[in-house]
Amino acid sequence: MKCAYISGILDRMMDDGIRPDYVIGVSAGAACGASFVAGQRDRNRRFFVDYVNRPEYMGWTAFLRSGNFFNLEYIYQDMTGEGGEDALDYEAIMNNPCELWAVATDAATGKAHYFNKEDLDPQDYSVYMATCAIPIACRPVRIDGHLYFDGGCSDSVPVRRALEAGCDKVIVLLCRPKDTVRVPEKHRKLYQAILHRYPKLIHNIDVRHERYNATLSAVRKLEQKGHAMIIAPEHPLEITTYTKDPGPLQGLYDTALKEYGDYRKKLLAFCEDHVRKPVTD
């Protein structure tokens, strides 16, 4: 739910006609990236604000119906699929030359798996179910015989993947202030017991904070050299992963719109070769 902030930043980037060559996202950030590449302004906000109070969307009613605290099938199949209430524009994604990737974690190996838009189907968006399947809160998602969990368990900030793909500049969108230092996950005994069939996944969760902190340190160095730009909230977000109140979520989106103004001039200069239309103040 913290990605309500990211959705605001991406909407303003759409307003300014920023067109990257390569988009890669993790968990809800991957789904936000899909709407961005499809050019569907405000679609992400609707999923974080307008639909969040529906009993079939998230919460204990969703859990009883689907086995997931977040009803991923409802969100990414029923609503997002072709003919759904708020369908993703599959044709626009495929027609956009921008590469689109989503990160998921293989439950058995603990390794990151990178899905691209060729893995999408307008009637089957299991890729986004997989990247958003938070361990414990959600069951793993099966794709081609493999079980997957949230991509954040293996590659929370996939900057290295973008650089290896040939990107010479990266814009990194975060849901936490850029100087955040992550600490070990809480409730280790609980997730160790529930996920005992996936020891390599457990290990990844144990060291996730170390990988995140190391990656952000590397990104900050890239930013100093002019190869990266980090966009992140100025202050810690006053919501949790499980916030259902539309008011604070809309407030978070509005905060992103406002804070984008602080980055806008620098961002447009940073990616001046990838702005589709003339920008006016």
Side-chain angles (χ1 to χ4, degrees):
M1 305 314 294
K2 293 179 180 180
C3 272
Y5 181 89
I6 300 297
S7 66
I9 298 297
L10 289 175
D11 276 357
R12 291 296 287 115
M13 288 176 66
M14 274 192 259
D15 291 343
D16 279 337
I18 295 174
R19 299 286 295 271
D21 300 309
Y22 185 101
V23 170
I24 184 168
V26 179
S27 197
C32 286
S35 296
F36 174 72
V37 172
Q40 291 176 276
R41 195 191 190 286
D42 199 53
R43 182 176 184 273
N44 290 322
R45 186 203 63 81
R46 295 195 294 272
F47 274 85
F48 289 114
V49 177
D50 295 353
Y51 309 139
V52 70
N53 264 338
R54 294 181 179 183
E56 58 267 57
Y57 186 102
M58 65 179 288
W60 294 114
T61 298
F63 180 80
L64 292 173
R65 292 181 180 180
S66 69
N68 295 325
F69 189 83
F70 292 95
N71 189 341
L72 300 176
E73 186 168 351
Y74 175 73
I75 298 169
Y76 294 115
Q77 299 287 34
D78 298 347
M79 297 189 70
T80 297
E82 188 175 42
E85 179 180 349
D86 205 335
L88 189 61
D89 191 336
Y90 175 83
E91 185 175 349
I93 288 175
M94 300 308 289
N95 288 336
N96 189 332
C98 175
E99 292 190 43
L100 177 63
W101 295 81
V103 187
T105 302
D106 188 302
T109 67
K111 294 181 179 180
H113 185 89
Y114 302 91
F115 292 98
N116 66 23
K117 62 184 180 182
E118 301 302 326
D119 296 305
L120 303 179
D121 185 293
Q123 296 179 339
D124 183 3
Y125 288 113
S126 296
V127 165
Y128 295 115
M129 293 173 59
T131 189
C132 292
I134 301 173
I136 300 178
C138 300
R139 297 178 297 180
V141 175
R142 185 178 296 277
I143 300 176
D144 294 334
H146 294 263
L147 295 176
Y148 294 99
F149 280 109
D150 191 302
C153 297
S154 54
D155 195 357
S156 297
V157 187
V159 171
R160 177 179 293 180
R161 180 77 177 186
L163 295 173
E164 290 174 348
C167 297
D168 56 352
K169 291 183 177 181
V170 291
I171 303 166
V172 182
L173 307 185
L174 302 175
C175 296
R176 295 175 173 82
K178 63 190 298 183
D179 59 353
T180 296
V181 176
R182 289 197 67 151
V183 299
E185 297 290 338
K186 300 177 181 178
H187 312 301
R188 185 179 190 277
K189 290 185 178 180
L190 176 62
Y191 69 72
Q192 188 177 35
I194 294 176
L195 301 171
H196 64 92
R197 291 180 294 175
Y198 311 113
K200 293 183 179 179
L201 177 70
I202 292 172
H203 172 72
N204 273 2
I205 297 173
D206 288 341
V207 302
R208 180 181 181 183
H209 65 292
E210 297 175 5
R211 292 175 175 172
Y212 180 92
N213 294 336
T215 299
L216 260 292
S217 177
V219 172
R220 285 191 287 268
K221 291 178 181 178
L222 285 173
E223 189 172 43
Q224 292 173 359
K225 295 177 180 179
H227 296 299
M229 181 171 176
I230 303 172
I231 298 179
E234 295 178 5
H235 306 287
L237 305 183
E238 299 296 327
I239 67 168
T240 71
T241 300
Y242 307 100
T243 296
K244 291 187 66 176
D245 188 339
L249 292 166
Q250 178 67 50
L252 188 54
Y253 175 87
D254 293 339
T255 296
L257 299 184
K258 179 180 178 181
E259 291 186 358
Y260 179 86
D262 298 331
Y263 292 100
R264 184 172 183 262
K265 185 176 181 179
K266 181 180 178 182
L267 177 63
L268 291 172
F270 181 74
C271 53
E272 59 182 349
D273 295 333
H274 291 77
V275 178
R276 181 185 56 197
K277 58 187 179 183
V279 175
T280 58
D281 294 327

